[in-house]
Amino acid sequence: MGKRGRACVVVLGDLGRSPRMQYHALSLARQASFQVDIVAYGGSIPHEAVLNHPSIHIHTMAQPRFIQLLPKILYPVTLLLKAFIQFTTLLWFLFVKVPAPDIFLVQNPPSVPTLVAVKWASSWRRAAFVVDWHNFGYTLLALSLGRNNVLVSLYRWFENHYGKMATGSLCVTKAMQHELDQNWGVRAKVLYDQPPEFFRPALLEERHELFCRVKKDLCHPIGVYDIISRELENQGLNETLFTMKTNADIFLKQNRPALVVSSTSWTPDENFGILLEAAVMYDRRVAARSKSSDTAEISEEQDLYPNLLFIITGKGPEKEMYEEKIKRLNLKHVAFRTMWLAAEDYPLLLGSADLGVCLHTSSSGLDLPMKVVDMFGCGLPVCSVSYSCIQELVKDGRNGLLFSSSSELADQLLILFKGFPGNCDALMTLKAGAMETGSSGRWASEWEDCAKPLITQVVSQNAD
């Protein structure tokens, strides 16, 4: 497949935080037998499967960090300067440093200057040019500048103009496929995100070892002394919050807190405040039950609802602001921890959790959160913010629940965790649905059916 046997994957972002493009690289190497060059920024460590594959070669660009020091009043100038530096850097890598490929596969967004640089490079090096549409770049820019800003209009023109020049296109939803076809003149093939093989339910031994590894992160919260801190103080050597090891046997503790996981980029398009408000409501309702004047009722009701531990993973600009808010909550039955996990530990965390929460609201309303795909791969049911096309992924009442407000999410937490861990039928029903969704499709088979035929076609046409 291909006259040169090479592919170049282009990511104008942190490769370690671009899982879909990592999976593309693995599939190009494993399933299409390409030598794969990845051009991307560094930062987070990619998955070891990418790092260790002999046919994958990572070329790391330097970030223009000095631009962040410029005053905010110069934001439009900063955007243009940043785009120019990125453009010249990309041209150097794509024209000179990387061996000539059969195909360039580029992540969009960002669109400027990526699409322009890759189009020029593909023409110069006589390679096919495929765009993988994750979202629309102009809608992301509009979050900070507003839809009517002239720079947003200019950005949309570039995105449209150069996007139409691609030899082939992939996209992440049927809704996006329709939008591209009807309003952009782009014929795209839907390649749904699917979990790779390393997203799966964690074994008991894996859970125990994971919670032993992250014990320090759980012990040292962000400036608060809470229910989890108190529990950790009284633990033995062979004990974690969730598991106990006796001799060679490991078992889940009956009095463990329920573990809820959310992954966020800490950006304005994910309103983390919804989760904080829901946590406060859950805490107050459980606390109110414990103060009931009927003593017989207290004992029964208290046992119905567990303490909750929210582990929030990810990096981003609003993280510190929300950590300060968490410090002031003073919750009795809920605790929060924020952390950044190694690429190999993140699937284990999802595979060990009881529930996932997704706060993603698409800037375009046309993309789907990959974090939910990963959760389903681990058999983890999800509570997700509702928006236009989310039901292409989350089937309300089958593998997850959809919410539109913090009070709805609080209600869902109470419904799902009533009787935890042994008698929570609603949660178990969703878990069965998530397991079914996660096992129904995997990235390798989806890529083989949807992406490989397109790539074979455009490479063959370009070689003629």
Side-chain angles (χ1 to χ4, degrees), residues 126-438:
R126 297 179 182 178
F129 167 33
V130 173
V131 177
D132 189 18
W133 297 81
H134 298 192
N135 199 347
F136 291 110
Y138 83 94
T139 62
L140 291 171
L141 185 62
L143 291 175
S144 54
L145 297 182
R147 285 268 177 153
N148 298 323
N149 187 280
V150 66
L151 284 178
V152 173
S153 300
L154 184 63
Y155 196 107
R156 189 187 190 282
W157 182 88
F158 269 100
E159 189 169 20
N160 186 318
H161 181 73
Y162 282 94
K164 286 192 290 191
M165 291 185 177
T167 322
S169 293
L170 298 165
C171 65
V172 294
T173 63
K174 290 180 181 177
M176 183 175 287
Q177 180 188 47
H178 180 77
E179 170 69 14
L180 286 167
D181 183 38
Q182 295 298 308
N183 299 319
W184 291 64
V186 173
R187 299 295 297 274
K189 195 164 186 179
V190 178
L191 174 65
Y192 279 119
D193 283 320
Q194 296 284 5
E197 67 279 1
F198 37 82
F199 282 91
R200 55 173 178 75
L203 303 174
L204 261 179
E205 185 177 1
E206 292 173 323
R207 295 187 190 192
H208 184 74
E209 290 174 355
L210 171 69
F211 294 129
C212 286
R213 283 198 298 278
V214 301
K215 211 170 200 179
K216 287 185 178 179
D217 295 303
L218 299 176
C219 279
H220 300 286
I222 46 180
V224 292
Y225 184 76
D226 55 25
I227 184 67
I228 298 302
S229 306
R230 289 192 289 275
E231 284 192 34
L232 286 165
E233 278 184 351
N234 302 317
Q235 281 186 2
L237 288 175
N238 294 319
E239 185 181 2
T240 73
L241 273 173
F242 308 95
T243 58
M244 177 80 77
K245 186 173 184 179
T246 55
N247 299 320
D249 297 324
I250 298 171
F251 59 88
L252 289 170
K253 294 158 68 172
Q254 281 298 305
N255 63 343
R256 65 186 183 275
L259 176 56
V260 184
V261 175
S262 183
S263 175
T264 177
S265 55
W266 300 102
T267 51
D269 63 335
E270 293 188 345
N271 184 1
F272 192 74
I274 292 177
L275 181 56
L276 292 190
E277 290 169 6
V280 170
M281 292 177 192
Y282 177 93
D283 189 78
R284 286 176 179 169
R285 292 180 199 178
V286 174
R289 284 181 169 88
S290 70
K291 292 178 181 177
S292 170
S293 57
D294 187 335
T295 308
E297 186 181 330
I298 294 173
S299 175
E300 181 183 350
E301 288 289 329
Q302 269 189 293
D303 289 341
L304 282 177
Y305 296 96
N307 295 324
L308 300 186
L309 171 59
F310 289 91
I311 294 183
I312 316 299
T313 70
K315 298 177 181 177
E318 295 190 345
K319 181 180 178 181
E320 290 184 4
M321 176 188 76
Y322 279 112
E323 284 181 337
E324 287 301 315
K325 290 185 177 182
I326 290 170
K327 289 179 185 179
R328 299 193 291 269
L329 291 180
N330 192 29
L331 302 175
K332 293 180 173 59
H333 299 279
V334 178
F336 283 86
R337 299 292 184 270
T338 59
M339 60 178 69
W340 178 256
L341 292 163
E344 289 70 45
D345 279 345
Y346 179 62
L348 292 176
L349 177 65
L350 296 186
S352 304
D354 301 298
L355 181 70
V357 173
C358 177
L359 301 166
H360 176 84
T361 52
S362 169
S363 63
S364 64
L366 300 172
D367 70 312
L368 295 172
M370 193 165 186
K371 65 194 77 176
V372 172
V373 174
D374 295 338
M375 289 172 180
F376 286 159
C378 294
L380 183 63
V382 174
C383 291
S384 176
V385 172
S386 180
Y387 63 92
S388 57
C389 70
I390 188 63
Q391 292 194 42
E392 285 190 42
L393 178 60
V394 180
K395 312 300 182 186
D396 195 26
R398 285 175 49 195
N399 55 17
L401 298 175
L402 300 175
F403 61 89
S404 300
S405 66
S406 53
S407 59
E408 275 190 87
L409 177 56
D411 289 341
Q412 290 171 2
L413 293 174
L414 286 163
I415 292 168
L416 294 177
F417 288 119
K418 183 177 181 179
F420 182 87
N423 190 29
C424 42
D425 293 343
L427 182 63
M428 290 302 104
T429 299
L430 293 186
K431 186 170 182 64
M435 291 284 287
E436 183 181 347
T437 302

